Amino acid sequence: MDMRSLLTLSVWLALIRENYGQKPTVSLLPKFPDVYVGDDITLICKGGGEPIKWFINGDLQSHENSSMLLTSVTSKNNGTYQCERSGSKSDPYTLTVLELEPHAQLSPAVGGPVLSKGEGTNLELQVDGDLKGWKCYVLRGESGSRLLFDPRSNNKAVLFAELKDAKRATFWCRNNTQRSNAVTLKMTELKVMLEPPAVPALMGEHVALRCAVWGGGKVEKAEFFKNNVILETITEATYIITNATEKDTGEYRCHATYRYSHISPGAAQQEGDSDAQELKVIGGPAASTVNLTPPNGLQCSCSHCPGDCTSYLWYHTLPDSSVPQKLSVNTKDITVEKGGGYSCRTYCKKGVSRFSNVYSFKPGVAQETQSVNAIMVAGVLLVVGVLIVVVLVVLKRRRGSNVQATARDKDKTTGGDYEQIHLTDQAVYHTLGESTDKDKVENEGGYEALKKRQEDAVYHTLGESTDKDKVKDEGCYEALKKRQEEAVYHTLAAGEGQGQSQSQGEGQGEGQGGYEALKSVKAEVYQTLSSGDSKTPAGQSEGRYEQLPQKAKDCEAVTVEENPYEELKAGQQDKKQLSKEK
């Protein structure tokens, strides 16, 4: 070995000892002067040897690589970061994420952030002002370089972005004081690819995940997975997450069934899986708010913006357009006259807020009237809903009352002129049925007092009398069981009693209106027999009583909780009238 070789070896050994003995450092890639919400950044630990440890706010992390990738950062990533190599710890690196959007916007012209190996895409740059002094850059791994762009207008330009051999690359543009957002492109070597949004997914917004096929293959069926758990199988290529939340954060992939039918109508069906892509849902930058100031004024405000935000950007969208046009005013308050949608952004030294809500203005209608209209509509809908509920309740109650009325109608006696009488504490008077016998005393319109007592018997008259020559007793009288074996008094029908043993012309007059005491016995029922049902001839059996076994088909038993007496009293005036008729 010559002297030159020995000298070279000694230099390398010195460098190695210095590298292992030096204190590690933490640096940021890309080298952004400011980090914004949604940026993808990498922290690099340089110097020293193995092993490698990371600390965030003093807490040991499980990460052991020399680089730490942070995607779609937010204010939750704020803090101090340190690394330790060979027992030596670096100085803390402080990360502060601005809750604003950069002044310029960079986004893919078409497609998503996932590219096939060897391919590239166009990125569009739009700045606030002109393009003078703006430059664009790319970071592939740890190696960065500058890119040229093609101006398309005073404030718009297009640049071609490609990954080359890198798995991922980050693109951004900036001038001396401002920069754009960063766009990260990723490479896949599979024909099927899942394309998440090129910009960070924000909470409350809809997020589209597209299952695409290299070369324009038509997707006939797509299965979407989150953290290797299937979500849905659809016949379309796009899966929509509505009102995204932090719970939707995860690793997504898809399985596609497709054909290259645009090349050949009879192309064979193929299947394939995509790579897993990370989706992170964040709160996003602070948003401005449009407030109403009568009569035709609008005010822009941002409660979460930094204190150096002193200017405002106003945008107007015509009723027949969907593209907002920037207005020349930059004050907090404006007066509007033209119809259409109005929105604003708060302009700060290091960035801008998110777009505000869109206020729709109609000429000739006062602002307070427009704002009250929504409240009035909501009130009317509430009143209508209450009325519908009330109507439904009333109909339900009426239906219930109709059912009860139908049930009461079914309880009516169908064979005579008497209906079931509900006893009350007062006397109830019931009009007696009329008799058609010429020799009977006419009782049309007479009233019978029915007094309710706790221990009386209840009588129920069944059927009606229509035979002229004899008492048709098909409407028999039935005495219910009484509890304490008390006497039951029953007014005998016309023509019954002792006077019926004589001729019909004379005997009937003596028997009308009399009373006969019937002593009730437990389980015995007395029934007035008709001529057809009596065991004796018709002429001798009229008006008599025969003890019969209780049958459901002959008499109707009425059961009540108490057994009141039914006392039928004939007044003195009825007796006098009978004697006169004799």
Side-chain angles (χ1 to χ4, degrees), residues 368-477:
E368 57 268 24
T369 303
Q370 297 184 49
S371 60
V372 170
N373 285 341
I375 301 176
M376 293 180 62
V377 171
V380 170
L381 293 177
L382 179 61
V383 172
V384 171
V386 172
L387 291 178
I388 292 175
V389 173
V390 172
V391 170
L392 292 176
V393 172
V394 172
L395 291 177
K396 185 176 181 181
R397 290 182 177 178
R398 287 184 178 179
R399 184 178 300 175
S401 62
N402 292 337
V403 172
Q404 294 177 359
T406 304
R408 290 196 298 268
D409 293 342
K410 290 182 178 179
D411 291 338
K412 293 181 180 180
T413 301
T414 59
D417 295 334
Y418 296 89
E419 295 179 2
Q420 180 179 357
I421 301 175
H422 298 280
L423 299 178
T424 60
D425 294 339
Q426 300 177 354
V428 180
Y429 295 89
H430 186 66
T431 305
L432 299 175
E434 61 184 11
S435 175
T436 58
D437 196 340
K438 295 180 180 180
D439 296 331
K440 293 180 181 179
V441 178
E442 296 182 358
N443 292 324
E444 295 180 2
Y447 293 88
E448 176 181 1
L450 307 176
K451 296 183 178 180
K452 173 186 177 183
R453 297 178 181 176
Q454 293 183 349
E455 300 294 338
D456 294 345
V458 178
Y459 293 85
H460 186 64
T461 305
L462 304 175
E464 62 178 347
S465 175
T466 58
D467 195 350
K468 296 181 180 180
D469 298 328
K470 61 182 178 179
V471 177
K472 186 177 180 180
D473 291 323
E474 292 176 357
C476 59
Y477 294 88

Side-chain angles (χ1 to χ4, degrees), residues 26-56:
V26 176
S27 58
L28 175 69
L29 291 178
K31 295 181 179 180
F32 294 144
D34 297 295
V35 178
Y36 292 90
V37 171
D39 281 342
D40 290 347
I41 60 174
T42 302
L43 297 176
I44 304 294
C45 180
K46 293 184 177 180
E50 304 291 340
I52 301 174
K53 297 180 182 179
W54 283 91
F55 299 85
I56 301 178

Side-chain angles (χ1 to χ4, degrees), residues 112-128:
V114 180
L115 301 177
S116 296
K117 185 176 181 179
E119 291 188 341
T121 186
N122 285 334
L123 300 179
E124 291 183 345
L125 172 66
Q126 182 173 352
V127 301
D128 183 21

Side-chain angles (χ1 to χ4, degrees), residues 82-83 116 131 138 155 167 197 209 214 231 267 270 290 342 347 370 387 453 516 536 554 571:
Q82 290 177 284
C83 71
S116 296
L131 294 171
V138 58
N155 64 341
K167 292 291 184 179
L209 301 178
W214 177 86
L231 295 174
Q270 303 182 46
V290 172
Y342 290 85
Y347 192 90
Q370 297 184 49
L387 291 178
R453 297 178 181 176
E516 177 179 0
T536 58
D554 295 331

Side-chain angles (χ1 to χ4, degrees), residues 225-244:
F225 298 82
K226 175 188 176 185
N227 299 329
N228 291 324
V229 177
I230 189 168
L231 295 174
E232 189 176 6
T233 300
I234 59 177
T235 58
E236 299 178 354
T238 303
Y239 175 75
I240 303 296
I241 300 175
T242 58
N243 298 323

